[in-house]
Amino acid sequence: MLELQAELAALATRGEMEAVMRLIATRGQELSGGAGAAVALIEEGEIVCRAGTGSVARAVGERMQLEGTLTSQSMASRQAMRCDDTELDTRVDRATCRRMGARSLVVTPLVFGERPGALLFALSPRPNAFGEVEERRVSLLARSAGPLLALAQASKVAVERERELWALKEMMRRRDAELEVVIQSIEEPAYLVGEGGAVRANRAALELLGADSALGLRGHPVLLAERLQPRSPETQAPVGLDEDPLARALTGQPWTRELVVRHTRAGMDVRVRTSGAPVRVDGKVVAAVVVHTDVGARRRVEEQKDQFLTLVERSTECIGITTLTGRPVYLNPAGRGLLGFESQEAFRASAVLETYLPEDREAARVAFTAVRERGHWEGELRLRDRRTGEAIPVWHQLFTLVARETGRPVGLGSVTRDLREPLRAEAVRERLIDIVSNDLREPLSAIAVAASTLLRRGELSEADTKAAGRIAQSAERMGRLMGQVLDFTRTYLGAGLVLLPTRMDLDVVAQDVVAAAELEHPDRLVRYVKRGDASGLWDRERLVELLSMLLGHALRGSPAERPVDLRLKGEGEEVVVEVSRTGAPIPAEVLPQLFDAFRSSPVDEARREHEGLGLFLAREIARAHGGDVEVRSSAAEGTTFRVRLPRGAATVD
């Protein structure tokens, strides 16, 4: 019994009331020798089974009558009582005993303090299963376990109250954090003041009041007034408590008025609209919330809005606003002039899709859907002049307009640029380039033919032969430069390079380029290696240009006694070309701009020709074929240009 009391005491101290009841029921069954035992609590005039063992385990939750039963007699006498046959004894609830399988039973009260608070039952499916010995054992167990069950109940209540207190503290902590978030989210100076001074203050309020934290603002609320020095904007006279929004709010009266206050941190006076609102708990004013709104700042915001509207009104770009559903709201004068609207009202009365050319309206619907989903869309569309029906090609930028306070979309905006003049100018430039290039090619060709003819006849003196040779070389170089300039101009204007792709083997091209380079540089060694299949669909002449430019660059940038390597590797769906040299590396600061056509080069004229447009065009040729060029350069590894060329539709059969 002592071991049982120690075990029960340990469980009871921790408030584990269910475990205590189960242990009492278990020992009750063991001591009585019954088929089962149960502990029931008295709840609102009924007996409710809360723990059971053996045959009674399934009866947990069972409710039994209390008044006029053997159970009520046991409680009244505080003594154990026995029923030898529930079918014959009128003191028991026969229906409940049948459900619990009890033909005989012993019941004894578990006393909580001054009154029984629970009952211990020992049950058996056989009549006359219990005698005086079993009755005494169960009674002894109840007397020793009753106080411990009472302790368990009290401990459980204490644990539950501790949990409730913890939950309450956690809720207060969350509410406190939420209050801090709310205060800090206010842009204007805002603070919460109680009887002991400021309880909460946002960053703007700390700046205004010249404090590092709300702790520095503790004390009587009057001290806050001394910091702010509130004065009347009209007379500059100090404001009394009857006109101070904080003082009025602490008395339960909301109050708002304009004041001039001292910005402690900035050391200057500011004009603010001060609002004070009381905070009540159970009807009692416990604090006040004060917010200062900078009136001057609001005026500056209004001025900025006016300036922005002036900028929009005077812009030469077409600027418009619609609702999220596409209903017209605003169109600036430039937009109204572009589209032929006589007034703002005429635009608002129209349908937005009607401003587009009929053939482009479906594309416009797609654009509006995209901007609603992604927040932004831009591209080329065609608008319609309402007066003439003329198609107006434009560059269209659509975007969502969001509310500053909530960040939610509230409308759609558009900025539109008329492309008619740029397109006309581009057409003129293209035509001018064609005319100039054709007019230059004819006299240049004549110069080259004349120089070649003179050299072939062999009738010139040595000096004249050198002069004719220089003329021929210069003509060839001018032709090459002219081609590069034309290619660059087309690329720079967005037209791209013209390609004439054919089925070809890059190995043949590479060998021709290497042979030409060795002929031009007879004192240099070019090592050529080819691995794998090099077939593809490419423009042969363009790739001759690309390889010649890279190989020439490598030869000019390396010492004469060192070789240059050209490697060709067929790798799956693409062919990779690598041109490598040793010698001084390309400076790290130059690498990012190496393919820039406008990069200046402090070298001789020949290198300017190749390093200016040459590398730029080499990269553009690779990109026109769907590939690219990259370069790496270091003192240890030398310089390598790597060209990646997808095979295109000409993969090997």
Side-chain angles (χ1 to χ4, degrees):
M1 189 64 72
L2 291 177
E3 292 179 0
L4 174 63
Q5 286 182 328
E7 189 174 357
L8 287 172
L11 294 172
T13 303
R14 296 195 297 269
E16 298 182 20
M17 189 171 178
E18 289 75 11
V20 170
M21 291 189 293
R22 284 196 300 271
L23 184 56
I24 293 173
T26 300
R27 294 308 300 272
Q29 180 182 355
E30 294 173 354
L31 291 172
S32 65
V39 173
L41 299 180
I42 301 170
E43 300 176 3
E44 299 179 356
E46 286 187 313
I47 302 172
V48 184
C49 180
R50 291 303 182 191
T53 61
S55 62
V56 198
R58 65 179 183 277
V60 173
E62 185 79 36
R63 293 182 176 272
M64 298 170 280
Q65 294 181 7
L66 178 61
E67 296 299 328
T69 63
L70 181 68
T71 303
S72 63
Q73 294 176 14
S74 175
M75 289 179 59
S77 64
R78 299 195 178 191
Q79 299 293 325
M81 303 195 75
R82 187 173 75 245
C83 172
D84 293 326
D85 193 338
T86 58
E87 291 295 325
L88 302 176
D89 198 326
T90 59
R91 297 173 301 168
V92 300
D93 182 352
R94 188 174 295 115
T96 301
C97 289
R98 287 174 179 173
R99 286 197 303 273
M100 298 177 66
R103 188 67 183 271
S104 59
L105 60 86
V106 174
V107 58
T108 183
L110 294 164
V111 180
F112 289 9
E114 298 180 357
R115 62 181 180 81
L119 295 157
L120 172 61
F121 294 88
L123 303 92
S124 175
R126 297 181 293 104
N128 302 306
F130 305 113
E132 292 183 0
V133 173
E134 289 80 12
E135 184 178 343
R136 217 170 20 252
R137 288 176 178 174
V138 173
S139 177
L140 179 62
L141 172 62
R143 282 198 298 272
S144 61
L148 294 174
L149 184 58
L151 174 61
Q153 188 178 48
S155 298
K156 182 179 180 181
V157 171
V159 169
E160 289 175 349
R161 286 181 178 175
E162 184 67 25
R163 289 174 180 167
E164 291 174 357
L165 180 60
W166 181 87
L168 181 61
K169 288 180 178 179
E170 182 64 17
M171 183 182 69
M172 291 177 65
R173 187 192 65 78
R174 287 198 302 269
R175 294 289 183 268
D176 192 61
E178 291 169 358
L179 175 61
E180 181 68 15
V181 170
V182 171
I183 290 289
Q184 294 297 340
S185 66
I186 301 174
E187 293 184 4
E188 295 87 1
Y191 46 94
L192 180 67
V193 182
E195 294 181 355
V199 180
R200 287 278 183 275
N202 65 4
R203 287 180 290 274
L206 295 176
E207 288 287 325
L208 177 68
L209 296 165
D212 295 327
S213 68
L215 292 175
L217 301 175
R218 295 294 172 87
H220 197 276
V222 173
L223 297 177
L224 292 177
E226 292 179 0
R227 285 176 177 264
L228 292 172
Q229 303 173 23
R231 302 182 300 283
S232 167
E234 294 79 16
T235 65
Q236 295 297 310
V239 173
L241 295 178
D242 57 336
E243 289 295 320
D244 182 21
L246 171 58
R248 295 288 290 265
L250 287 173
T251 63
Q253 303 176 58
W255 197 254
T256 299
R257 70 158 295 171
E258 285 195 12
L259 297 169
V260 173
V261 298
R262 187 69 177 170
H263 194 297
T264 307
R265 191 64 58 84
M268 58 183 290
D269 290 339
V270 292
R271 183 166 178 166
V272 297
R273 180 178 290 107
T274 302
S275 299
V279 177
R280 290 183 170 87
V281 176
D282 296 331
K284 180 182 178 181
V285 177
V286 296
V289 176
V290 179
V291 178
H292 300 285
T293 303
D294 190 336
V295 177
R298 284 201 167 185
R299 288 174 180 166
R300 288 191 293 274
V301 169
E302 294 300 324
E303 291 173 356
Q304 290 172 356
K305 287 182 179 178
D306 292 340
Q307 293 170 357
F308 174 74
L309 288 175
T310 301
L311 178 65
V312 170
E313 289 284 314
R314 295 183 179 179
S315 173
T316 58
E317 304 284 359
C318 172
I319 300 175
I321 298 174
T322 72
T323 64
L324 288 173
T325 58
R327 181 170 54 82
V329 175
Y330 170 82
L331 189 64
N332 71 344
R336 296 198 297 271
L338 177 69
L339 298 175
F341 287 102
E342 297 78 10
S343 64
Q344 198 72 260
E345 290 71 24
F347 173 67
R348 293 189 184 123
S350 69
V352 168
L353 283 178
E354 291 180 0
T355 62
Y356 294 90
L357 205 65
E359 295 86 347
D360 283 18
R361 287 174 186 171
E362 184 57 35
R365 288 190 184 93
V366 173
F368 276 98
T369 300
V371 74
R372 291 189 189 99
E373 293 175 351
R374 301 194 297 267
H376 182 269
W377 181 91
E378 61 179 292
E380 192 171 335
L381 288 171
R382 291 176 296 175
L383 299 177
R384 182 180 66 90
D385 189 322
R386 298 176 74 244
R387 295 162 297 196
T388 65
E390 176 189 1
I392 308 172
V394 297
W395 185 258
H396 220 20
Q397 289 181 299
L398 301 174
F399 46 87
T400 54
L401 302 172
V402 298
R404 183 179 179 184
E405 295 79 10
T406 63
R408 293 181 178 177
V410 294
L412 302 178
S414 68
V415 177
T416 304
R417 180 162 52 91
D418 188 349
L419 294 181
R420 286 176 294 184
E421 188 58 35
L423 289 175
R424 280 194 293 267
E426 183 176 341
V428 170
R429 284 195 300 269
E430 286 283 337
R431 181 59 181 153
L432 180 61
I433 290 170
D434 289 340
I435 291 172
V436 172
S437 63
N438 290 331
D439 288 347
L440 284 177
R441 286 184 188 278
E442 185 176 345
L444 186 59
S445 177
I447 293 172
V449 170
S452 298
T453 301
L454 291 173
L455 289 171
R456 283 198 304 271
R457 287 179 180 175
E459 299 175 354
L460 300 177
S461 65
E462 183 178 352
D464 291 339
T465 300
K466 290 182 178 180
R470 291 180 63 185
I471 292 172
Q473 290 177 355
S474 297
E476 180 185 355
R477 186 165 153 228
M478 287 178 64
R480 186 165 59 250
L481 279 172
M482 187 182 299
Q484 290 182 350
V485 169
L486 288 174
D487 286 341
F488 162 74
T489 305
R490 290 183 179 277
T491 304
Y492 190 72
L493 292 177
L497 297 176
V498 177
L499 298 182
L500 299 174
T502 58
R503 181 73 172 263
M504 56 173 287
D505 189 344
L506 192 55
D507 179 30
V508 177
V509 173
Q511 291 185 45
D512 290 345
V513 170
V514 170
E518 290 176 337
L519 187 62
E520 185 178 353
H521 302 274
D523 57 335
R524 300 300 305 274
L525 173 62
V526 178
R527 298 184 299 196
Y528 172 61
V529 177
K530 177 250 184 183
R531 292 205 314 267
D533 176 58
S535 297
L537 187 65
W538 302 300
D539 186 317
R540 186 184 190 284
E541 296 304 319
R542 291 296 187 184
L543 293 190
V544 168
E545 291 182 57
L546 185 151
L547 296 181
S548 298
M549 291 171 188
L550 295 183
L551 196 55
H553 182 275
L555 288 167
R556 288 186 297 275
S558 61
E561 68 276 7
R562 297 186 184 179
V564 170
D565 292 301
L566 173 60
R567 295 181 292 274
L568 203 63
K569 296 182 287 186
E571 298 179 346
E573 296 301 318
E574 64 182 18
V575 176
V576 175
V577 180
E578 291 184 347
V579 178
S580 301
R581 69 165 176 83
T582 56
I586 300 172
E589 65 273 13
V590 174
L591 280 175
Q593 294 87 34
L594 192 63
F595 297 98
D596 186 352
F598 296 104
R599 179 176 63 88
S600 60
S601 176
V603 293
D604 58 38
E605 185 178 356
R607 292 190 64 179
R608 277 201 300 273
E609 170 193 340
H610 291 275
E611 292 189 357
L613 296 179
L615 291 180
F616 169 79
L617 290 175
R619 183 184 63 181
E620 293 306 312
I621 290 171
R623 288 181 174 178
H625 285 88
D628 209 342
V629 181
E630 61 183 26
V631 60
R632 60 180 185 273
S633 184
S634 66
E637 298 181 359
T639 300
T640 298
F641 286 87
R642 188 174 190 270
V643 184
R644 182 179 56 81
L645 293 171
R647 297 180 190 271
T651 51
V652 178
D653 295 332

